[in-house]
């Protein structure tokens, strides 16, 4: 009585019977997201963690980053064979068959090293940045295994791939002889997390960054404030979170928390882009600073409510200058997401001061008034030498934007908008069909997988201006208890759309790999939900 | 850019502005599910856990059950005031105002006791059973607090209510003077959990039982086996799980696990009804015992597949007799769910032995063949002195059922079916619109709340035959990581439909109470998801 005919359909087509066991069999040692070029052979090594080491260059600029990654991936590989997880099979009839590897002509012996070749890091402290080279080549042959990349970021991606090529066969870790030549399709591969509508504790953000690295995401878009709460504890204006957070002590991100997130992300090759959305989505700012927001009127009298930021006051811009000067200092990435979406004009429409201001300044529409505001913010960011992303409304409303601006397309007609954005020579970031808060029954990842960012009728030149996309986890309906399984493995579908070649688009073919990848995430401590119906992770 | 206009709608109607803070304010000290009669006054006590005790009768039959409950609820009350959770408010501006309780004319002082009055339990070991009296009265007046019930089960329900009446005001626990006279609308209030499609570890089942007790559910319907795996480790046929579980050691329920679940449920007043679904949904049985299942044919030859149980062989019934004799012994509840749903006839249709058997026995339809099978199972259960539930198909197909049978209605036209079932004088259990695996965006509980079991055009006599319902958590798309937030608080909506009066049906009015109840569950360690959009639990 489960009504989920969906899951049974492929089986019903192929035969009358439902077979015991998982509906979709997990692949073994397949990589997610799928590498651009991968050639695998029948030959294989065994990997015995305690006899295995990473060997890397010693005289390069970023030894810590490299050594940390080696430790991380050694631990991942070592725990992939956990017997605890699979239980004591010898106690029951279903014993594993012991394979006599040595008698097998495909057996290449124990793999003892992965040689990592990296010419240099720029310096001791390197920060992932927009447009980084993430290419790598990985080669596991009868001669041994080596990983080569131009940058530390390429090395990190390659180590992830290497760890995923290793799989458990009976009770032994195996890696097939494989050649991988890999690079991302898009350079901006993001996950947005909204920490305002529900507060998401730091430990969940760190788990999210772990999972992002397992999926080769490279941008954590931290939608840190919104109408409902202001959890960022500012050094300049601590009262913003003292008054505007859901709780001034237990539901805030201290400066030390923010540093921890940035560093945890950095060593995994993930940029952290903060978003302080204005002029709408700012109600929580008004808890401490009501003067920043527009006074709303009903029947020509203030009605006690506050609307979007007040674009007519210089004091608003002075405040933002001080706050954003801090934010640009705290968040080292050269990009800042300044929001600019969904401004409700009702409050502006009834405020007499707004009316006088518009008249005095020859501003005839509220879209133009919004543009007037955003233009100030844009100029402010320019003066702070920061680049920025904006939500699509900013572009649509005609704000003058420098060419470096990334226009973040999110509304339903996203492909059309991407066409306009790129026709105007602007860069586009795509999210329209990757809203993780849109949920349906089942594993619910196919709809994300079947959406292609470049599916609009522009020129090749236009399409080059689409730099990537983001899966968006708005937090109306997620808290710390369900956010991880809500995001994973559904965001993994987006990760593959953003990393892998455009022709990797066969949902049916992806199922077995995503089944394996989900179990891999579970085994690494990520609370991912099942992607494909009945199944098990061992 | 969140597109979830849904949440903002009530606010947009009332004003232009979005206010900071939660969208739905949690109530304080409101009970879920809502009691039948509840009168609350402005007068109140403070409750200081270390100065508070339960006082109960000492010379009754079930002292352990009572004392365990006292310990459990004392701990719940004591941890409800955890300062850790709310942080050190004195460190920031937003200090709690200290209230001078003593100067308040409504203040009744510290509540030091709840006097529990219970005449007797039947014996030392009491088991919750079908039709138990769960009524209780709870009275908190200026004279003190007392709880009276006819049975230990009524006491348990009353203790739950008492614990929910206590709420945190500033940093003090408060209970208002309140009179509650309460009893359930339906006697069978169940939650089905499918542990076959994904294995659900015991620790999650125990958490589920905790949460069930917080929602006054009284039946744990354990859908323990299905096509995909057979995790029940039988004493009689251990090979069923050795071969048919997802893993013979790590993904099985040992006899000791089952006992633990039954005992944990018992002390919380929850019955455990096992379901061993036959003759369909049995593929996993075939891993060890293929002879139980029908051999499928293609082009007049066995095609290697197996179908539903083979109803033509006496050996099938002999096997079930031995297994069910064990099951009835292991699970002490007097009811057994024997399944009987969704039998796919394709395999039967092509098997020549089935055809001969049907001819020889004058069985002309596959529905009749299914009935032939079920009649055997029904007779078997009768001989074991067990009562049973069956899925609706068994009734629809015309199997002869004793009047004690509960017909479990699950298909989309459930109200129509309930009408037929009760018209035929049979008892009905309703689940049609309470399938928790049907998910939508948002908090996603309203649809369950807005479904009324008795909404069919039968007589009053017919409606009395509807004994309750069950929320069903089929596990195609849930594993141990997402099952708790998938079930809670969505199943709480069903809990209120089953316990509270029929006129408690105002979704809008329920929102604030469910917000509080969800936070209460979170604070008690239940990983419930947010019900109502942006919010916080402190």
């Amino acid at each position: 009585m489960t009504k989920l005919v969906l899951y049974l359909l492929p089986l019903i087509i192929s035969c009358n019977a439902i077979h015991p066991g998982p509906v979709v069999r997990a692949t073994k040692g397949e990589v997610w997201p799928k590498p651009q070029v991968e050639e695998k052979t029948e030959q294989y090594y065994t990997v015995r963690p305690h006899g295995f080491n990473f060997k890397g260059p010693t005289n390069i600029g970023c030894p810590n980053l490299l050594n940390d990654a080696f430790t991380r991936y050694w631990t991942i590989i070592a725990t992939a064979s956990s017997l605890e997880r699979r239980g004591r099979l010898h106690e029951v009839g279903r014993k594993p068959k012991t394979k006599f590897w040595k008698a097998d002509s495909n057996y290449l012996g124990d793999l003892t090293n992965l040689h990592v070749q990296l010419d240099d890091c720029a310096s001791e402290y390197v920060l992932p940045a927009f447009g980084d080279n993430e290419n790598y080549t990985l080669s596991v042959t009868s001669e041994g295994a080596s990983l080569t990349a131009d940058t530390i970021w390429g090395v990190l991606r390659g180590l992830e791939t290497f760890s995923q090529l290793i799989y458990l066969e009976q009770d032994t870790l195996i890696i097939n002889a494989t050649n991988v030549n890999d690079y991302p399709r898009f350079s901006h591969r993001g996950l947005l997390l909204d920490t305002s509508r529900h507060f998401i504790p730091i430990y969940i953000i760190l788990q999210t960054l772990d999972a992002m690295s397992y999926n080769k995401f490279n941008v954590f878009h931290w939608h840190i404030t919104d109408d409902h709460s202001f959890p960022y504890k500012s050094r300049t204006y601590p009262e913003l979170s003292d008054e505007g957070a859901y709780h001034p002590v237990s539901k805030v991100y201290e400066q030390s928390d923010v540093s921890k997130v940035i560093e945890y992300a950095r060593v995994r090759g993930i940029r952290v882009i903060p978003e302080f959305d204005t002029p709408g989505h700012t109600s929580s700012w008004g808890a401490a600073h009501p003067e920043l927001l527009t006074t709303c009127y009903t029947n020509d009298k203030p009605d006690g409510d506050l609307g979007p930021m007040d674009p007519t006051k210089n004091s608003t811009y002075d405040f933002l200058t001080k706050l954003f000067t801090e934010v640009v200092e705290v968040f080292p990435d050269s990009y800042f997401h300044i929001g600019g979406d969904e401004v409700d004009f009702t409050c502006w429409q009834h405020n007499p001061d707004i009316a006088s201001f518009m008249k005095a300044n020859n501003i005839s529409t509220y879209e133009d008034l919004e543009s007037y505001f955003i233009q100030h913010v844009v100029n402010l960011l320019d003066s702070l030498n920061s680049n920025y992303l904006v939500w699509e409304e900013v572009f649509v409303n005609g704000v003058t934007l420098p060419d470096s601006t990334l226009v973040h397309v999110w509304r339903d007609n996203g492909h059309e908008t991407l066409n306009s954005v790129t026709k105007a020579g602007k860069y586009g970031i795509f999210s329209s069909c990757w809203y993780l808060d849109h949920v349906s029954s089942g594993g619910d990842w196919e709809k994300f997988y079947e959406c292609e960012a470049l599916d609009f009728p522009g020129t090749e030149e236009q399409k080059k201006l689409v730099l990537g996309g983001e899966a968006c986890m708005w937090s109306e309906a997620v808290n710390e208890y369900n956010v991880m399984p809500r995001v994973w493995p559904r965001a993994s579908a987006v990760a593959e759309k953003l990393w892998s070649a455009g022709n990797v688009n066969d949902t049916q073919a992806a199922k077995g790999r995503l089944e394996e990848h989900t179990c891999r995430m579970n085994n690494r401590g990520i609370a991912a939900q099942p992607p494909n119906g009945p199944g098990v992770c061992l």
Side-chain angles (χ1 to χ4, degrees), chain A residues 142-175:
Chain A
S142 56
E143 310 293 303
S146 68
L147 168 63
T148 310
D150 293 332
T151 68
I152 180 69
W153 318 119
V155 169
L156 294 179
R157 305 301 167 241
L159 288 172
E160 180 56 41
T161 295
F162 177 75
S163 74
Q164 296 194 9
L165 286 171
I166 297 171
Y167 60 97
L168 203 56
E169 185 67 56
Q170 297 169 20
D171 55 359
T172 307
L173 294 176
I174 298 288
I175 186 168

mmCIF file of all heavy atoms in Angstrom, chain A residues 142-175:
data_model
loop_
_atom_site.group_PDB
_atom_site.id
_atom_site.type_symbol
_atom_site.label_atom_id
_atom_site.label_comp_id
_atom_site.label_asym_id
_atom_site.label_seq_id
_atom_site.Cartn_x
_atom_site.Cartn_y
_atom_site.Cartn_z
ATOM 1 N N SER A 142 49.756 0.480 -14.265
ATOM 2 C CA SER A 142 50.600 -0.572 -13.691
ATOM 3 C C SER A 142 51.902 0.020 -13.156
ATOM 4 O O SER A 142 52.610 -0.610 -12.377
ATOM 5 C CB SER A 142 50.876 -1.647 -14.746
ATOM 6 O OG SER A 142 51.465 -1.039 -15.878
ATOM 7 N N GLU A 143 52.220 1.247 -13.570
ATOM 8 C CA GLU A 143 53.440 1.928 -13.099
ATOM 9 C C GLU A 143 53.240 2.591 -11.740
ATOM 10 O O GLU A 143 54.193 3.108 -11.149
ATOM 11 C CB GLU A 143 53.859 3.024 -14.090
ATOM 12 C CG GLU A 143 53.940 2.590 -15.531
ATOM 13 C CD GLU A 143 55.062 1.584 -15.742
ATOM 14 O OE1 GLU A 143 56.201 1.924 -15.409
ATOM 15 O OE2 GLU A 143 54.757 0.440 -16.185
ATOM 16 N N GLY A 144 51.990 2.699 -11.293
ATOM 17 C CA GLY A 144 51.728 3.423 -10.045
ATOM 18 C C GLY A 144 50.662 4.480 -10.253
ATOM 19 O O GLY A 144 49.973 4.481 -11.284
ATOM 20 N N ALA A 145 50.521 5.362 -9.281
ATOM 21 C CA ALA A 145 49.443 6.345 -9.353
ATOM 22 C C ALA A 145 50.002 7.751 -9.185
ATOM 23 O O ALA A 145 50.846 7.995 -8.320
ATOM 24 C CB ALA A 145 48.405 6.081 -8.256
ATOM 25 N N SER A 146 49.525 8.671 -10.030
ATOM 26 C CA SER A 146 49.989 10.050 -9.889
ATOM 27 C C SER A 146 48.866 11.031 -10.193
ATOM 28 O O SER A 146 47.955 10.754 -10.970
ATOM 29 C CB SER A 146 51.179 10.305 -10.807
ATOM 30 O OG SER A 146 50.743 10.265 -12.150
ATOM 31 N N LEU A 147 48.968 12.159 -9.534
ATOM 32 C CA LEU A 147 47.983 13.237 -9.685
ATOM 33 C C LEU A 147 48.758 14.502 -10.003
ATOM 34 O O LEU A 147 49.697 14.855 -9.284
ATOM 35 C CB LEU A 147 47.212 13.399 -8.374
ATOM 36 C CG LEU A 147 46.326 14.638 -8.214
ATOM 37 C CD1 LEU A 147 45.199 14.651 -9.225
ATOM 38 C CD2 LEU A 147 45.751 14.695 -6.787
ATOM 39 N N THR A 148 48.360 15.168 -11.092
ATOM 40 C CA THR A 148 49.059 16.386 -11.506
ATOM 41 C C THR A 148 48.052 17.510 -11.673
ATOM 42 O O THR A 148 46.977 17.305 -12.245
ATOM 43 C CB THR A 148 49.766 16.168 -12.875
ATOM 44 O OG1 THR A 148 50.516 14.963 -12.785
ATOM 45 C CG2 THR A 148 50.686 17.323 -13.218
ATOM 46 N N ALA A 149 48.412 18.687 -11.153
ATOM 47 C CA ALA A 149 47.541 19.840 -11.328
ATOM 48 C C ALA A 149 48.379 21.100 -11.339
ATOM 49 O O ALA A 149 49.522 21.103 -10.869
ATOM 50 C CB ALA A 149 46.513 19.904 -10.204
ATOM 51 N N ASP A 150 47.785 22.160 -11.880
ATOM 52 C CA ASP A 150 48.503 23.441 -11.940
ATOM 53 C C ASP A 150 48.388 24.206 -10.637
ATOM 54 O O ASP A 150 49.201 25.079 -10.351
ATOM 55 C CB ASP A 150 47.909 24.313 -13.068
ATOM 56 C CG ASP A 150 48.191 23.714 -14.439
ATOM 57 O OD1 ASP A 150 49.210 23.009 -14.562
ATOM 58 O OD2 ASP A 150 47.387 23.956 -15.351
ATOM 59 N N THR A 151 47.333 23.911 -9.882
ATOM 60 C CA THR A 151 47.082 24.676 -8.653
ATOM 61 C C THR A 151 46.720 23.715 -7.528
ATOM 62 O O THR A 151 46.342 22.563 -7.774
ATOM 63 C CB THR A 151 45.880 25.642 -8.824
ATOM 64 O OG1 THR A 151 44.699 24.844 -8.952
ATOM 65 C CG2 THR A 151 46.032 26.539 -10.044
ATOM 66 N N ILE A 152 46.806 24.225 -6.323
ATOM 67 C CA ILE A 152 46.387 23.435 -5.171
ATOM 68 C C ILE A 152 44.905 23.061 -5.292
ATOM 69 O O ILE A 152 44.472 21.986 -4.864
ATOM 70 C CB ILE A 152 46.667 24.187 -3.840
ATOM 71 C CG1 ILE A 152 46.248 23.376 -2.617
ATOM 72 C CG2 ILE A 152 45.996 25.554 -3.807
ATOM 73 C CD1 ILE A 152 47.084 22.162 -2.341
ATOM 74 N N TRP A 153 44.114 23.930 -5.946
ATOM 75 C CA TRP A 153 42.672 23.656 -6.082
ATOM 76 C C TRP A 153 42.445 22.467 -7.005
ATOM 77 O O TRP A 153 41.565 21.634 -6.752
ATOM 78 C CB TRP A 153 41.924 24.906 -6.572
ATOM 79 C CG TRP A 153 42.430 26.147 -5.879
ATOM 80 C CD1 TRP A 153 43.014 27.244 -6.458
ATOM 81 C CD2 TRP A 153 42.442 26.388 -4.465
ATOM 82 N NE1 TRP A 153 43.394 28.152 -5.501
ATOM 83 C CE2 TRP A 153 43.053 27.655 -4.263
ATOM 84 C CE3 TRP A 153 42.035 25.680 -3.347
ATOM 85 C CZ2 TRP A 153 43.238 28.219 -3.000
ATOM 86 C CZ3 TRP A 153 42.214 26.238 -2.080
ATOM 87 C CH2 TRP A 153 42.813 27.488 -1.917
ATOM 88 N N GLY A 154 43.234 22.372 -8.027
ATOM 89 C CA GLY A 154 43.173 21.205 -8.905
ATOM 90 C C GLY A 154 43.559 19.940 -8.146
ATOM 91 O O GLY A 154 42.946 18.876 -8.315
ATOM 92 N N VAL A 155 44.567 20.066 -7.280
ATOM 93 C CA VAL A 155 44.976 18.911 -6.475
ATOM 94 C C VAL A 155 43.813 18.448 -5.593
ATOM 95 O O VAL A 155 43.517 17.253 -5.495
ATOM 96 C CB VAL A 155 46.215 19.253 -5.610
ATOM 97 C CG1 VAL A 155 46.463 18.153 -4.585
ATOM 98 C CG2 VAL A 155 47.435 19.470 -6.482
ATOM 99 N N LEU A 156 43.127 19.408 -4.940
ATOM 100 C CA LEU A 156 42.002 19.044 -4.066
ATOM 101 C C LEU A 156 40.925 18.303 -4.852
ATOM 102 O O LEU A 156 40.379 17.300 -4.392
ATOM 103 C CB LEU A 156 41.400 20.289 -3.407
ATOM 104 C CG LEU A 156 42.308 21.036 -2.413
ATOM 105 C CD1 LEU A 156 41.578 22.261 -1.858
ATOM 106 C CD2 LEU A 156 42.759 20.126 -1.284
ATOM 107 N N ARG A 157 40.599 18.814 -6.042
ATOM 108 C CA ARG A 157 39.568 18.128 -6.848
ATOM 109 C C ARG A 157 40.039 16.720 -7.212
ATOM 110 O O ARG A 157 39.262 15.768 -7.212
ATOM 111 C CB ARG A 157 39.253 18.920 -8.123
ATOM 112 C CG ARG A 157 38.829 20.367 -7.925
ATOM 113 C CD ARG A 157 37.594 20.565 -7.086
ATOM 114 N NE ARG A 157 37.455 21.972 -6.720
ATOM 115 C CZ ARG A 157 37.450 22.441 -5.477
ATOM 116 N NH1 ARG A 157 37.500 21.614 -4.445
ATOM 117 N NH2 ARG A 157 37.345 23.732 -5.245
ATOM 118 N N GLY A 158 41.296 16.607 -7.532
ATOM 119 C CA GLY A 158 41.848 15.311 -7.918
ATOM 120 C C GLY A 158 41.870 14.322 -6.761
ATOM 121 O O GLY A 158 41.620 13.124 -6.945
ATOM 122 N N LEU A 159 42.180 14.812 -5.565
ATOM 123 C CA LEU A 159 42.178 13.929 -4.403
ATOM 124 C C LEU A 159 40.762 13.407 -4.138
ATOM 125 O O LEU A 159 40.566 12.239 -3.792
ATOM 126 C CB LEU A 159 42.697 14.672 -3.160
ATOM 127 C CG LEU A 159 44.201 14.964 -3.137
ATOM 128 C CD1 LEU A 159 44.555 15.864 -1.954
ATOM 129 C CD2 LEU A 159 45.017 13.662 -3.081
ATOM 130 N N GLU A 160 39.774 14.279 -4.319
ATOM 131 C CA GLU A 160 38.387 13.847 -4.153
ATOM 132 C C GLU A 160 38.075 12.727 -5.139
ATOM 133 O O GLU A 160 37.502 11.693 -4.778
ATOM 134 C CB GLU A 160 37.433 15.034 -4.340
ATOM 135 C CG GLU A 160 35.959 14.704 -4.184
ATOM 136 C CD GLU A 160 35.624 14.061 -2.844
ATOM 137 O OE1 GLU A 160 36.162 14.496 -1.804
ATOM 138 O OE2 GLU A 160 34.823 13.100 -2.844
ATOM 139 N N THR A 161 38.464 12.932 -6.382
ATOM 140 C CA THR A 161 38.223 11.901 -7.402
ATOM 141 C C THR A 161 38.939 10.603 -7.042
ATOM 142 O O THR A 161 38.350 9.515 -7.106
ATOM 143 C CB THR A 161 38.683 12.409 -8.784
ATOM 144 O OG1 THR A 161 37.866 13.516 -9.152
ATOM 145 C CG2 THR A 161 38.582 11.325 -9.845
ATOM 146 N N PHE A 162 40.196 10.726 -6.644
ATOM 147 C CA PHE A 162 40.963 9.538 -6.258
ATOM 148 C C PHE A 162 40.237 8.767 -5.156
ATOM 149 O O PHE A 162 40.072 7.539 -5.241
ATOM 150 C CB PHE A 162 42.366 9.958 -5.813
ATOM 151 C CG PHE A 162 43.205 8.808 -5.332
ATOM 152 C CD1 PHE A 162 43.753 7.905 -6.223
ATOM 153 C CD2 PHE A 162 43.455 8.632 -3.974
ATOM 154 C CE1 PHE A 162 44.536 6.838 -5.777
ATOM 155 C CE2 PHE A 162 44.223 7.571 -3.515
ATOM 156 C CZ PHE A 162 44.766 6.667 -4.420
ATOM 157 N N SER A 163 39.757 9.495 -4.142
ATOM 158 C CA SER A 163 39.093 8.817 -3.016
ATOM 159 C C SER A 163 37.810 8.122 -3.464
ATOM 160 O O SER A 163 37.405 7.114 -2.889
ATOM 161 C CB SER A 163 38.792 9.814 -1.890
ATOM 162 O OG SER A 163 37.710 10.664 -2.238
ATOM 163 N N GLN A 164 37.180 8.676 -4.499
ATOM 164 C CA GLN A 164 35.926 8.080 -4.968
ATOM 165 C C GLN A 164 36.162 6.877 -5.884
ATOM 166 O O GLN A 164 35.268 6.039 -6.043
ATOM 167 C CB GLN A 164 35.076 9.130 -5.698
ATOM 168 C CG GLN A 164 34.619 10.271 -4.795
ATOM 169 C CD GLN A 164 33.519 11.119 -5.419
ATOM 170 O OE1 GLN A 164 32.963 10.779 -6.461
ATOM 171 N NE2 GLN A 164 33.191 12.230 -4.765
ATOM 172 N N LEU A 165 37.332 6.822 -6.492
ATOM 173 C CA LEU A 165 37.631 5.669 -7.358
ATOM 174 C C LEU A 165 37.835 4.401 -6.531
ATOM 175 O O LEU A 165 37.713 3.292 -7.039
ATOM 176 C CB LEU A 165 38.892 5.939 -8.194
ATOM 177 C CG LEU A 165 38.746 6.916 -9.359
ATOM 178 C CD1 LEU A 165 40.113 7.247 -9.943
ATOM 179 C CD2 LEU A 165 37.836 6.339 -10.451
ATOM 180 N N ILE A 166 38.158 4.592 -5.257
ATOM 181 C CA ILE A 166 38.397 3.445 -4.379
ATOM 182 C C ILE A 166 37.069 2.898 -3.885
ATOM 183 O O ILE A 166 36.207 3.662 -3.444
ATOM 184 C CB ILE A 166 39.295 3.868 -3.193
ATOM 185 C CG1 ILE A 166 40.662 4.306 -3.711
ATOM 186 C CG2 ILE A 166 39.427 2.742 -2.175
ATOM 187 C CD1 ILE A 166 41.563 4.934 -2.671
ATOM 188 N N TYR A 167 36.889 1.603 -3.980
ATOM 189 C CA TYR A 167 35.631 1.008 -3.539
ATOM 190 C C TYR A 167 35.908 -0.297 -2.813
ATOM 191 O O TYR A 167 37.010 -0.856 -2.889
ATOM 192 C CB TYR A 167 34.685 0.790 -4.729
ATOM 193 C CG TYR A 167 35.222 -0.121 -5.797
ATOM 194 C CD1 TYR A 167 34.879 -1.473 -5.839
ATOM 195 C CD2 TYR A 167 36.079 0.372 -6.790
ATOM 196 C CE1 TYR A 167 35.375 -2.307 -6.829
ATOM 197 C CE2 TYR A 167 36.586 -0.466 -7.772
ATOM 198 C CZ TYR A 167 36.228 -1.793 -7.790
ATOM 199 O OH TYR A 167 36.734 -2.618 -8.770
ATOM 200 N N LEU A 168 34.865 -0.742 -2.111
ATOM 201 C CA LEU A 168 34.998 -1.930 -1.288
ATOM 202 C C LEU A 168 34.506 -3.137 -2.076
ATOM 203 O O LEU A 168 33.371 -3.162 -2.566
ATOM 204 C CB LEU A 168 34.131 -1.731 -0.040
ATOM 205 C CG LEU A 168 34.460 -2.528 1.210
ATOM 206 C CD1 LEU A 168 35.883 -2.311 1.658
ATOM 207 C CD2 LEU A 168 33.490 -2.101 2.317
ATOM 208 N N GLU A 169 35.368 -4.126 -2.210
ATOM 209 C CA GLU A 169 34.967 -5.380 -2.876
ATOM 210 C C GLU A 169 35.171 -6.461 -1.832
ATOM 211 O O GLU A 169 36.305 -6.679 -1.386
ATOM 212 C CB GLU A 169 35.867 -5.594 -4.101
ATOM 213 C CG GLU A 169 35.501 -6.781 -4.949
ATOM 214 C CD GLU A 169 34.164 -6.609 -5.639
ATOM 215 O OE1 GLU A 169 33.996 -5.614 -6.351
ATOM 216 O OE2 GLU A 169 33.276 -7.482 -5.434
ATOM 217 N N GLN A 170 34.058 -7.113 -1.425
ATOM 218 C CA GLN A 170 34.132 -7.991 -0.267
ATOM 219 C C GLN A 170 34.687 -7.170 0.911
ATOM 220 O O GLN A 170 34.099 -6.156 1.241
ATOM 221 C CB GLN A 170 34.931 -9.238 -0.594
ATOM 222 C CG GLN A 170 34.227 -10.051 -1.690
ATOM 223 C CD GLN A 170 35.092 -11.143 -2.246
ATOM 224 O OE1 GLN A 170 36.053 -11.561 -1.638
ATOM 225 N NE2 GLN A 170 34.751 -11.615 -3.426
ATOM 226 N N ASP A 171 35.815 -7.547 1.481
ATOM 227 C CA ASP A 171 36.281 -6.705 2.588
ATOM 228 C C ASP A 171 37.594 -6.005 2.253
ATOM 229 O O ASP A 171 38.368 -5.654 3.132
ATOM 230 C CB ASP A 171 36.390 -7.509 3.888
ATOM 231 C CG ASP A 171 37.267 -8.733 3.724
ATOM 232 O OD1 ASP A 171 37.763 -8.943 2.596
ATOM 233 O OD2 ASP A 171 37.469 -9.459 4.698
ATOM 234 N N THR A 172 37.815 -5.769 0.977
ATOM 235 C CA THR A 172 39.075 -5.155 0.558
ATOM 236 C C THR A 172 38.804 -3.906 -0.281
ATOM 237 O O THR A 172 37.878 -3.880 -1.085
ATOM 238 C CB THR A 172 39.891 -6.164 -0.284
ATOM 239 O OG1 THR A 172 40.011 -7.373 0.466
ATOM 240 C CG2 THR A 172 41.269 -5.625 -0.613
ATOM 241 N N LEU A 173 39.638 -2.883 -0.076
ATOM 242 C CA LEU A 173 39.524 -1.690 -0.912
ATOM 243 C C LEU A 173 40.268 -1.919 -2.217
ATOM 244 O O LEU A 173 41.389 -2.435 -2.231
ATOM 245 C CB LEU A 173 40.117 -0.478 -0.188
ATOM 246 C CG LEU A 173 39.372 -0.029 1.067
ATOM 247 C CD1 LEU A 173 40.124 1.116 1.750
ATOM 248 C CD2 LEU A 173 37.948 0.394 0.721
ATOM 249 N N ILE A 174 39.615 -1.479 -3.293
ATOM 250 C CA ILE A 174 40.112 -1.732 -4.645
ATOM 251 C C ILE A 174 40.132 -0.412 -5.401
ATOM 252 O O ILE A 174 39.273 0.439 -5.184
ATOM 253 C CB ILE A 174 39.124 -2.674 -5.391
ATOM 254 C CG1 ILE A 174 39.002 -4.037 -4.704
ATOM 255 C CG2 ILE A 174 39.494 -2.834 -6.863
ATOM 256 C CD1 ILE A 174 40.214 -4.903 -4.863
ATOM 257 N N ILE A 175 41.123 -0.243 -6.265
ATOM 258 C CA ILE A 175 41.063 0.860 -7.230
ATOM 259 C C ILE A 175 41.477 0.310 -8.591
ATOM 260 O O ILE A 175 42.483 -0.407 -8.708
ATOM 261 C CB ILE A 175 41.939 2.067 -6.817
ATOM 262 C CG1 ILE A 175 41.717 3.243 -7.779
ATOM 263 C CG2 ILE A 175 43.423 1.692 -6.727
ATOM 264 C CD1 ILE A 175 42.310 4.559 -7.288
#
